[in-house]
Amino acid sequence: VNEFPELTHLWYMDDPSAIGSLDSLSKFIPEFNAFAPRFGFLPKASSGVLLVKPDFYEEAKTLFPDLRILNSSTEGVEHLGSFFGAPEALIAWAREQIREETVRVLRLTELAELVPHACHGAYTHGLQNKLSFLMRTSPLPGELFQPLEDVIANKLLPALGLPTQLRNLFGLPTKFGGMSISNPTLTPALNYAASQAISSPLVASALAKSGMVPSAADCSKAKSSALAERRALLLALTRQVIAEIPPSLRRTVEDLFTEPLPEPDEDANPKRKKTRPPPNVSSHLLQALPIAELGYLFSRHQWKDLMALRYLLPVEGLPAFCACKSKNPFTLQHALSCPTGGHAIRRHNGVRDLLAGWLSKLSPFNIVVEPLLHPVHPEDRFAHRSANQDDEARSDILLVEG
């Protein structure tokens, strides 16, 4: 590399490349072919590709008969997961990449009927990240991803038990009440701009041919600035989506936030943060990998119930009316408060037993659970009519000295 400073080199592991004049490349390639075997790298001319401008196409074919010569005005080549070449060739290559990803999502949709939680994890932790890499490394228009978005909205979401009507909500991160299934038509420009900003110190160093790696401080500064700008745009999109959902669902979604959603003035001035209640942590379970061996994988029925509770969707298998003969329709809210079946009593007893257990370890007193209260005299008067005056009235916990 140092012997050919007139070339711009881009190397990653065993994928070398160089940019420069044909004369410089004609000297560099033989030197490289002779030098590389010393380190166990055996280059093959048949796998080499040379991308040249139209004016130098014929000359390149003469100078490099063993290489595959491509015209940069009409052709291109894939390199390091991205693409170099004509814009039309880039679009054709990206369309094929998206078509392959669409086929994978369709296959995932077929499995989602049986293991929806595993399929959700496979998409958000796997396939979606591959799409994100494609967006970060190539300047692609959002409409190119529309066929994939159609499959996600009309196939994948219903297979996961999620209504298509709330598509924008499900595109939000789980920390803001969504499902982290982003809309691929909205994010290409955002991801590419962030990638350009983050890699700008490395690009500047490569173009300067200094041979020096940019400082960690410069890289960290570029990354922080790019991520802050990207976060501001995502927060603006989140506020817009939250404002568009029905008010009855909005409160439920806001309760799912694992971190407060800052107001617009807080984005510009972080010192003006408002005090908010502690965030909900229930959405963390959707961020964990669905590993069955660790007990992190929900069954098909558990997943459906989870989505129904999370987004106020109808729960399958519920009766029309409760066994308590209530005239009101049976709802989840009624199930939590109905005295029939003992759910309310079990919740009360759970808190009682937990508190009694703590007190038995921390308190020097003896702990008695549900002791009988003293009998009530007919002439006794109580400040509140709700006071329990039955002969079998009991307290929850009694602390006895001794």
Side-chain angles (χ1 to χ4, degrees):
V1 173
N2 295 330
E3 295 178 3
F4 296 90
E6 68 275 12
L7 296 176
T8 299
H9 299 270
L10 176 63
W11 290 48
Y12 183 78
M13 302 298 288
D14 59 347
D15 289 316
S17 62
I19 304 173
S21 65
L22 293 181
D23 181 59
S24 298
L25 290 173
S26 65
K27 299 175 183 178
F28 168 75
I29 291 177
E31 289 288 336
F32 173 75
N33 291 337
F35 178 78
R38 303 177 191 174
F39 298 90
F41 182 72
L42 303 177
K44 296 181 180 179
S46 58
S47 62
V49 178
L50 184 62
L51 188 66
V52 299
K53 295 180 179 179
D55 295 342
F56 303 98
Y57 184 78
E58 295 299 330
E59 182 182 357
K61 292 181 66 175
T62 303
L63 290 173
F64 308 98
D66 297 330
L67 299 181
R68 184 159 61 101
I69 311 301
L70 299 179
N71 189 331
S72 64
S73 64
T74 57
E75 299 175 291
V77 60
E78 181 179 355
H79 183 60
L80 297 179
S82 187
F83 192 86
F84 294 90
E88 297 79 6
L90 168 62
I91 296 298
W93 172 81
R95 185 176 285 111
E96 178 61 22
Q97 301 296 313
I98 296 171
R99 187 196 65 79
E100 293 177 359
E101 290 303 304
T102 303
V103 171
R104 294 188 180 97
V105 174
L106 284 171
R107 292 174 181 172
L108 205 62
T109 300
E110 298 174 359
L111 295 175
E113 299 289 345
L114 300 175
V115 282
H117 188 197
C119 290
H120 174 265
Y123 181 78
T124 56
H125 293 285
L127 295 181
Q128 189 166 243
N129 291 337
K130 186 174 182 180
L131 286 171
S132 179
F133 178 82
L134 177 63
M135 297 174 186
R136 293 198 306 268
T137 56
S138 303
L140 301 173
E143 56 269 18
L144 200 63
F145 294 84
Q146 189 59 51
L148 175 61
E149 168 57 19
D150 292 340
V151 171
I152 293 174
N154 301 320
K155 300 285 187 179
L156 181 61
L157 291 183
L160 294 175
L162 302 172
T164 304
Q165 294 82 353
L166 298 176
R167 174 64 184 102
N168 292 336
L169 173 60
F170 301 141
L172 298 181
T174 55
K175 65 181 179 181
F176 290 134
M179 293 294 293
S180 294
I181 305 177
S182 61
N183 187 332
T185 65
L186 302 178
T187 52
L190 184 64
N191 287 332
Y192 187 71
S195 179
Q196 278 189 310
I198 293 173
S199 61
S200 58
L202 292 171
V203 173
S205 177
L207 293 178
K209 304 177 183 178
S210 62
M212 301 296 293
V213 178
S215 66
D218 291 340
C219 293
S220 177
K221 182 179 179 180
K223 181 177 180 180
S224 299
S225 176
L227 292 183
E229 183 177 354
R230 185 175 184 271
R231 173 179 168 83
L233 294 174
L234 290 177
L235 289 177
L237 175 62
T238 300
R239 297 189 195 97
Q240 178 182 349
V241 171
I242 296 298
E244 292 175 351
I245 62 179
S248 58
L249 179 59
R250 187 181 308 154
R251 176 63 183 273
T252 301
V253 171
E254 290 174 346
D255 289 340
L256 297 173
F257 287 3
T258 58
E259 69 175 60
L261 180 63
E263 300 295 336
D265 59 339
E266 295 180 28
D267 295 343
N269 186 4
K271 295 182 179 180
R272 296 184 59 185
K273 290 186 177 180
K274 300 178 181 179
T275 302
R276 294 183 175 86
N280 192 317
V281 296
S282 62
S283 291
H284 288 324
L285 58 89
L286 294 176
Q287 300 173 3
L289 290 173
I291 303 175
E293 290 78 3
L294 300 179
Y296 295 164
L297 179 65
F298 290 105
S299 68
R300 179 173 74 257
H301 301 294
Q302 290 172 332
W303 175 265
K304 289 183 177 180
D305 291 343
L306 174 63
M307 293 299 102
L309 294 173
R310 184 175 174 87
Y311 296 114
L312 301 181
L313 303 175
V315 180
E316 296 180 1
L318 292 183
F321 296 94
C322 183
C324 68
K325 308 302 181 183
S326 173
K327 296 182 180 180
N328 296 323
F330 185 86
T331 62
L332 293 176
Q333 288 74 16
H334 177 79
L336 296 174
S337 59
C338 179
T340 302
H343 295 295
I345 295 176
R346 282 196 291 270
R347 291 201 308 272
H348 166 271
N349 291 349
V351 176
R352 179 204 63 196
D353 295 341
L354 179 63
L355 181 57
W358 286 346
L359 290 174
S360 64
K361 297 178 181 179
L362 302 176
S363 174
F365 300 99
N366 295 324
I367 308 302
V368 181
V369 176
E370 288 198 353
L372 279 170
L373 298 179
H374 291 294
V376 177
H377 193 274
E379 296 183 359
D380 290 342
R381 296 292 181 267
F382 296 90
H384 302 283
R385 295 181 180 180
S386 60
N388 190 349
Q389 303 181 35
D390 296 339
D391 292 339
E392 295 295 324
R394 296 174 179 268
S395 174
D396 287 327
I397 299 175
L398 176 64
L399 280 70
V400 181
E401 185 177 3

